[in-house]
Amino acid sequence: MKTPLISVVIPAYNHQHFIGPAIDSVLQQTLDDFELIIVDDGSTDDTAKVIKAYDDPRISYTWQENQDAFNTINRGMGMARGQYISILNSDDIYTPQRLEKCLQAIEENDADVVFSDVIPIDDQGSQLNDPEFGWNLWHQKNRDYYFKYADVYTGFLHGNYMVTTSNLFMRRQAVEQTGEFSSLRYLHDYDYIFRLMLACPGKVHYMHDAQLLYYRIHG
């Protein structure tokens, strides 16, 4: 098989209502040189049924006993063959140009890692646009702190404005230098971005003016 340019890793767990839109958002990318690696972390609902309904040679599906998100992501990244690795949680959604724009940004900025701004959505996929919504207030404070100091590392000392592992787009060597996600149930993304910055100093770029990911906030 031809080596793909990008490996997209989806860790999936009990998201039968959301995994379809997540997969669709990858298959409908404007850049199509990718493989889609889906690792099912022991789902007990119809997640597997939804995934298996897709017939696309770029998709690979693996099932495992439940081991938590960090282990699931690690397994998927270990299977990746691409020059770049991108993560998408099974309830989030890529915008159609995400892979194309992330690839462009990582090359233009001589970066090893890029992440964008996000668009919060609810369980029905509706955008949560109210600036007074609690999550939006939290996220805007983190962004304001980044803009105040214009420094990626300093910004992360205030809060996780990357928001989620779904927002990571990385060169393969950055992943190899950083290693696996740590066994932290809720903060593995926050831990990992600090380790990426330490492993790739000056090579983590924030696409602050581009909203390229729909981040789902559950009720």
Side-chain angles (χ1 to χ4, degrees):
M1 292 180 62
K2 174 181 174 289
T3 301
L5 179 64
I6 300 168
S7 295
V8 179
V9 175
I10 295 183
Y13 179 67
N14 283 356
H15 278 157
Q16 63 181 21
H17 300 299
F18 309 121
I19 186 65
I23 293 172
D24 290 340
S25 76
V26 178
L27 298 182
Q28 295 167 5
Q29 287 293 299
T30 54
L31 188 158
D32 62 2
D33 188 0
F34 62 81
E35 63 176 349
L36 175 53
I37 300 166
I38 306 174
V39 182
D40 185 349
D41 191 32
S43 294
T44 56
D45 63 359
D46 285 334
T47 292
K49 182 178 179 181
V50 175
I51 298 169
K52 291 177 180 178
Y54 285 86
D55 182 19
D56 191 303
R58 294 171 295 181
I59 298 176
S60 67
Y61 171 71
T62 301
W63 187 93
Q64 66 181 26
E65 294 284 351
N66 182 259
Q67 299 176 39
D68 277 338
F70 64 91
N71 271 321
T72 310
I73 296 172
N74 287 338
R75 183 167 185 180
M77 293 199 306
M79 299 165 63
R81 298 181 297 124
Q83 299 176 39
Y84 302 89
I85 297 175
S86 188
I87 301 171
L88 176 62
N89 293 324
S90 53
D91 56 345
D92 295 333
I93 299 171
Y94 283 166
T95 59
Q97 290 184 301
R98 177 172 175 84
L99 295 183
E100 180 181 349
K101 287 185 176 295
C102 284
L103 180 64
Q104 182 180 5
I106 210 169
E107 296 293 346
E108 289 182 351
N109 293 279
D110 188 29
D112 289 337
V113 182
V114 296
F115 63 97
S116 72
D117 193 20
V118 305
I119 305 165
I121 58 175
D122 63 16
D123 282 347
Q124 287 70 49
S126 299
Q127 295 186 28
L128 298 166
N129 295 321
D130 182 359
E132 297 304 311
F133 177 55
W135 187 92
N136 287 333
L137 290 172
W138 169 82
H139 184 54
Q140 189 57 50
K141 286 180 180 178
N142 289 335
R143 276 172 56 84
D144 288 345
Y145 198 82
Y146 162 78
F147 288 123
K148 179 180 179 180
Y149 293 98
D151 180 72
V152 172
Y153 184 85
T154 304
F156 276 111
L157 291 176
H158 185 269
N160 185 8
Y161 57 101
M162 179 182 72
V163 178
T164 171
T165 48
S166 293
N167 207 359
L168 283 169
F169 186 93
M170 307 164 284
R171 293 186 193 271
R172 168 179 288 279
Q173 58 263 38
V175 173
E176 293 171 347
Q177 290 171 219
T178 306
E180 295 187 329
F181 280 84
S182 299
S183 56
L184 299 169
R185 186 169 186 179
Y186 297 116
L187 291 174
H188 52 273
D189 56 339
Y190 200 24
D191 168 76
Y192 201 73
I193 190 62
F194 276 105
R195 289 167 52 211
L196 280 166
M197 288 187 288
L198 291 171
C200 311
K203 296 286 190 175
V204 177
H205 176 70
Y206 179 31
M207 303 165 65
H208 58 80
D209 57 351
Q211 291 180 305
L212 301 178
L213 174 73
Y214 292 100
Y215 172 67
R216 198 178 301 273
I217 299 175
H218 299 280

